[in-house]
Amino acid sequence: MRKSISVLLACTALLLGACTRSATGSSLPTATEDPLSSLFNTIATQTALAAGAKDPDLAPTLPSATSLFGATATIAPSATKIATATTTPAPITEFDVPSSYTLHQGEHPYCLARRFNIDPSAILAANNLTESEAGNLSVGATLAIPVAEVGSFGSDRALRAHPATYTAGSNDTFYSIACAFGDVWPENIAEANGMDVDDALQAGQTLHIP
């Protein structure tokens, strides 16, 4: 009886040792994805993408650049100002009509009448000149100008339209050019071109006539 008990205890010890080794020596099984499940997921994803190409409402929602990387800065094109060239005429000095005037090269009483807005006959009468004498006056002759008659010339004082450009000839002066245009003062032509009224002009020089 005592021998049977010893055998039973030895068997029990062996069984307990085997259970302990089995519990400690074996590793837990690792969860792995079912190959069939992975295949079905791939097919479902491709089907959803194909459906989205035909119907945007069925397209899968993809993460935006903002959700992945944060707010994206948008640079709007800035408006470029284009400079616009404008031509603003320079102020023209206004002169008072003088009570006497000395003729320069290219001038005569009739061009003074247009410039000063005075009836030519009033200038001739103020200087006791006939029409023939008025056309033969020399440079340097001094004429009396009847300023009380300013405004008596009438219409069509201009002989040429202006503002305009003018190409100077070999004998031109600001005075002769003013007579050619009629109602323009020589001082104003010089002023418009940044010159002095007595400056010499070169043949072929282009001038602005105000």
Side-chain angles (χ1 to χ4, degrees):
M1 182 69 176
R2 191 174 293 178
K3 183 177 181 181
S4 299
I5 293 173
S6 298
V7 172
L8 180 60
L9 290 174
C11 290
T12 302
L14 290 173
L15 289 173
L16 290 175
C19 291
T20 302
R21 285 194 300 272
S22 175
T24 57
S26 300
S27 60
L28 296 176
T30 302
T32 58
E33 184 179 0
D34 186 358
L36 290 177
S37 176
S38 176
L39 177 61
F40 289 144
N41 287 338
T42 301
I43 294 173
T45 301
Q46 292 177 349
T47 302
L49 291 175
K54 296 180 180 180
D55 187 351
D57 292 335
L58 299 178
T61 302
L62 298 177
S64 63
T66 302
S67 64
L68 291 176
F69 305 107
T72 303
T74 301
I75 301 176
S78 58
T80 302
K81 289 186 177 180
I82 300 176
T84 304
T86 57
T87 302
T88 304
I92 296 298
T93 303
E94 293 186 3
F95 297 95
D96 293 329
V97 175
S99 58
S100 64
Y101 187 86
T102 300
L103 293 178
H104 297 80
Q105 180 181 343
E107 292 183 319
H108 49 79
Y110 297 100
C111 85
L112 297 182
R114 290 179 180 274
R115 185 185 308 165
F116 298 150
N117 194 13
I118 297 175
D119 188 324
S121 63
I123 294 179
L124 296 183
N127 292 277
N128 297 316
L129 294 172
T130 64
E131 290 185 3
S132 60
E133 291 172 337
N136 293 316
L137 294 175
S138 301
V139 173
T142 299
L143 298 175
I145 306 298
V147 293
E149 300 294 330
V150 172
S152 61
F153 184 90
S155 59
D156 300 328
R157 289 171 53 211
L159 292 174
R160 300 187 187 184
H162 58 91
T165 56
Y166 177 84
T167 303
S170 57
N171 296 318
D172 271 332
T173 65
F174 284 116
Y175 301 100
S176 65
I177 295 172
C179 284
F181 280 86
D183 61 340
V184 183
W185 289 59
E187 292 85 354
N188 290 150
I189 300 176
E191 181 182 17
N193 292 276
M195 302 175 68
D196 185 78
V197 69
D198 291 317
D199 287 344
L201 298 176
Q202 303 296 322
Q205 183 176 352
T206 300
L207 300 172
H208 173 68
I209 310 299

